């Protein structure tokens, strides 16, 4: 199980690093938060809107549950189909849980239920 968790951790961190660099501009900063002990990964966006309003938002929030080796997607505040992207990077659908979808609907998603 540890080998799978490490593999998925590397995939998530690399993906988040690439994403944050693609979207950074002069007024917006992306902060990657990685808690490798608890296997929690987030990407935050911070910056000023028209130099008057400070914005701070969670863009992505993931967790790898070591007991099952599954990647939980808790937040995806974009229009990207990241579960599909993760599949292309080597995480099978059976190991991806759409945590933001109610449990009774997850069986319809094509991804893991729990």
């Amino acid at each position: 199980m540890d080998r799978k968790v490490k593999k998925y951790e590397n995939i998530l961190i690399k993906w988040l690093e690439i994403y944050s660099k693609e979207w950074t501009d002069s007024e917006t900063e992306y902060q990657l938060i990685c808690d490798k002990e608890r296997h929690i990964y987030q990407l935050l966006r911070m910056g000023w809107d028209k130099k008057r309003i400070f914005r701070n938002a969670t863009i992505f929030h993931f967790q790898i549950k070591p007991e099952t080796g599954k990647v939980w997607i808790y937040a995806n505040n974009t229009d990207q189909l990241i579960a599909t992207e993760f599949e292309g990077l080597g995480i099978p659908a059976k190991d991806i849980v759409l945590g933001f979808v109610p449990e009774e609907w997850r069986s319809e998603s094509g991804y893991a239920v729990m």
Side-chain angles (χ1 to χ4, degrees):
M1 191 65 67
D2 290 337
R3 187 179 247 168
K4 182 162 80 168
V5 169
K6 188 67 176 166
K7 174 186 174 186
Y8 292 173
E9 176 180 78
N10 290 335
I11 289 170
L12 294 179
I13 291 172
K14 185 175 181 178
W15 187 88
L16 286 166
E17 286 173 343
I18 291 168
Y19 187 91
S20 67
K21 289 175 185 164
E22 286 180 8
W23 291 93
T24 298
D25 60 36
S26 63
E27 294 186 11
T28 306
E29 175 186 350
Y30 285 81
Q31 290 186 343
L32 177 55
I33 300 171
C34 300
D35 181 344
K36 292 183 178 184
E37 183 179 328
R38 292 170 191 81
H39 309 288
I40 298 170
Y41 315 91
Q42 291 185 325
L43 184 65
L44 304 178
R45 179 178 58 211
M46 298 186 323
W48 290 93
D49 183 0
K50 299 179 185 170
K51 299 185 184 199
R52 300 185 68 168
I53 301 170
F54 185 74
R55 304 281 186 196
N56 183 339
T58 300
I59 305 302
F60 300 114
H61 180 178
F62 312 129
Q63 182 177 20
I64 303 170
K65 303 243 178 147
E67 58 276 2
T68 62
K70 295 189 190 289
V71 174
W72 284 68
I73 300 173
Y74 293 121
N76 172 13
N77 291 306
T78 71
D79 58 358
Q80 291 189 259
L81 301 173
I82 57 175
T84 304
E85 291 187 34
F86 290 165
E87 284 183 87
L89 295 171
I91 303 174
K94 68 179 181 63
D95 284 346
I96 298 172
V97 180
L98 303 179
F100 57 87
V101 172
E103 189 174 346
E104 62 270 14
W105 297 349
R106 288 186 198 144
S107 62
E108 306 292 321
S109 72
Y111 293 97
V113 175
M114 293 190 77

